[in-house]
Amino acid sequence: MFKNKYMYCFIAAGLLAPSGAAMAQDKYPTKPIRLIVAFPAGGSTDIIARLAGQKLGEKLGQQVVVDNRGGAGGTIGTDIAAHANPDGYTLTMGTTSTHVIAVGAYKSLKYDPVKDFEPLTLVASTPYLLVVNPGVKANSLKEFIALAKSQPGKMNYASAGTGTTTQLAMEMLKMAAGIDVVHVPFNGNGPAGVATIGGQVQALFGSMPAVLPQAKAGRLRPLAVGTPKRSPALPDVPSVSESYPGFDASLWLGFFAPKGTPAAITKRLTAELTAIAKSPEMKEQFERNGADPLWSNSPAELSKLVATEIEKYNKVIKAAGITPQ
């Protein structure tokens, strides 16, 4: 009789006590979180990731450590994130380049942007800004197009890497304007901007947060923004669509966790990141860097966006004749 009594107590206690996994989730986080940025420091993804990551760390009570893993158009770092332990302590800042364009730009992508990640939320979008080295004899988009047409195949442009949105933005402009400028890939927005400032290349269709400070300082000359409307950050700079209707080149940035990350953790991260993007302070910081905060989205909507844009950009890649690497 006593044996059965103690057995029942033991079973009841086991049913009432939370599992080790549940307890770990309840206490999350108990250590720093690694935020993988698949591009070098100084680029748009790095800038937005650091701004949002710092605020996320403050909300969670643990440091969010940015881990820059650049290379191969962002696919190296994104692959590391895809195969990290799904315990909530590794996140990545995904972009149009890493989660959309890479599918059509690389033959042997080692991760699946849809199947290998838990989408959390978008946090920002940013237009692309066409800039040139101040030594280039073009003070407007019209003059740049005319100059390129006068010497086909002799001018060149930088990108953040083969298959990145910085390449596709310029390739779309090449198709729209009928110009021939040569692609020179670099390992990220930062190095591409440095090369353009130094005159190694003449032009760059760079992401706004990466090139805006250099444009405002006069080290690069802004000619046009890629979004349909002008950017509040540079209201006097026209949009490409004013000359070529329908042109649209922009970059979205969002947070992802490895597939299998516990739902309780992803739910909390999504809520915290959404609150961060909605905050007036973050809105001001994003806009100062030429980015627009985004928060009216859900993980399901982000997942749908990835799938839809993969189809869209695959068509652009084929039309531009870009050979998968």
Side-chain angles (χ1 to χ4, degrees):
M1 180 172 123
F2 290 108
K3 180 179 180 181
N4 289 341
K5 177 182 177 181
Y6 288 125
M7 180 176 70
Y8 293 147
C9 291
F10 178 77
I11 292 172
L15 291 173
L16 291 173
S19 68
M23 288 180 68
Q25 291 174 37
D26 289 342
K27 295 179 181 178
Y28 173 86
T30 59
K31 61 182 180 180
I33 296 168
R34 177 173 65 154
L35 174 56
I36 294 178
V37 173
F39 298 96
S44 298
T45 307
D46 180 69
I47 292 169
I48 299 301
R50 288 179 185 276
L51 287 172
Q54 179 182 350
K55 290 299 176 185
L56 180 62
E58 292 173 3
K59 283 183 169 289
L60 295 177
Q62 288 287 345
Q63 185 179 10
V64 174
V65 181
V66 173
D67 183 6
N68 293 96
R69 296 296 187 98
T75 61
I76 292 175
T78 306
D79 179 53
I80 293 171
H83 297 98
N85 186 6
D87 57 2
Y89 290 96
T90 297
L91 306 176
T92 188
M93 173 70 84
T95 71
T96 313
S97 293
T98 61
H99 280 64
V100 173
I101 293 171
V103 175
Y106 292 89
K107 292 179 182 178
S108 56
L109 199 61
K110 295 180 180 179
Y111 62 89
D112 186 312
V114 176
K115 296 179 180 179
D116 291 341
F117 290 95
E118 301 285 355
L120 301 176
T121 185
L122 290 173
V123 290
S125 68
T126 174
Y128 279 84
L129 179 66
L130 176 62
V131 294
V132 294
N133 178 279
V136 175
K137 296 179 179 179
N139 293 301
S140 66
L141 176 62
K142 183 178 180 180
E143 291 181 2
F144 177 77
I145 298 300
L147 183 63
K149 286 186 174 181
S150 71
Q151 41 186 321
K154 292 185 179 180
M155 292 179 65
N156 54 31
Y157 77 93
S159 82
T162 299
T164 60
T165 322
T166 50
Q167 181 191 11
L168 290 194
M170 185 65 91
E171 291 298 325
M172 288 191 289
L173 179 61
K174 286 169 61 176
M175 289 187 287
I179 57 175
D180 179 14
V181 291
V182 179
H183 176 221
V184 182
F186 287 85
N187 186 22
N189 264 291
V194 170
T196 310
I197 292 169
Q200 294 171 257
V201 289
Q202 293 156 308
L204 166 65
F205 217 140
S207 187
M208 184 80 86
V211 297
L212 182 60
Q214 309 303 331
K216 287 186 172 181
R219 288 186 282 270
L220 292 171
R221 182 184 301 134
L223 301 183
V225 295
T227 42
K229 295 182 180 181
R230 297 189 182 196
S231 169
L234 292 171
D236 296 329
V237 176
S239 66
V240 176
S241 64
E242 291 175 36
S243 299
Y244 302 96
F247 188 93
D248 185 4
S250 58
L251 175 79
W252 56 254
L253 304 103
F255 279 83
F256 294 79
K259 193 71 174 181
T261 300
I265 290 176
T266 60
K267 184 177 180 180
R268 182 179 179 192
L269 288 170
T270 296
E272 299 289 12
L273 288 166
T274 299
I276 288 168
K278 290 175 70 174
S279 69
E281 179 187 358
M282 190 56 59
K283 182 176 185 293
E284 190 275 331
Q285 289 194 54
F286 278 5
E287 290 178 347
R288 188 192 308 158
N289 284 281
D292 298 317
L294 298 173
W295 63 81
S296 58
N297 59 89
S298 66
E301 289 170 326
L302 177 51
S303 180
K304 183 178 179 180
L305 174 66
V306 170
T308 301
E309 292 230 312
I310 285 174
E311 183 178 354
K312 168 189 169 182
Y313 276 101
N314 274 346
K315 292 178 181 177
V316 174
I317 289 169
K318 290 178 181 177
I322 297 173
T323 302
Q325 300 297 302

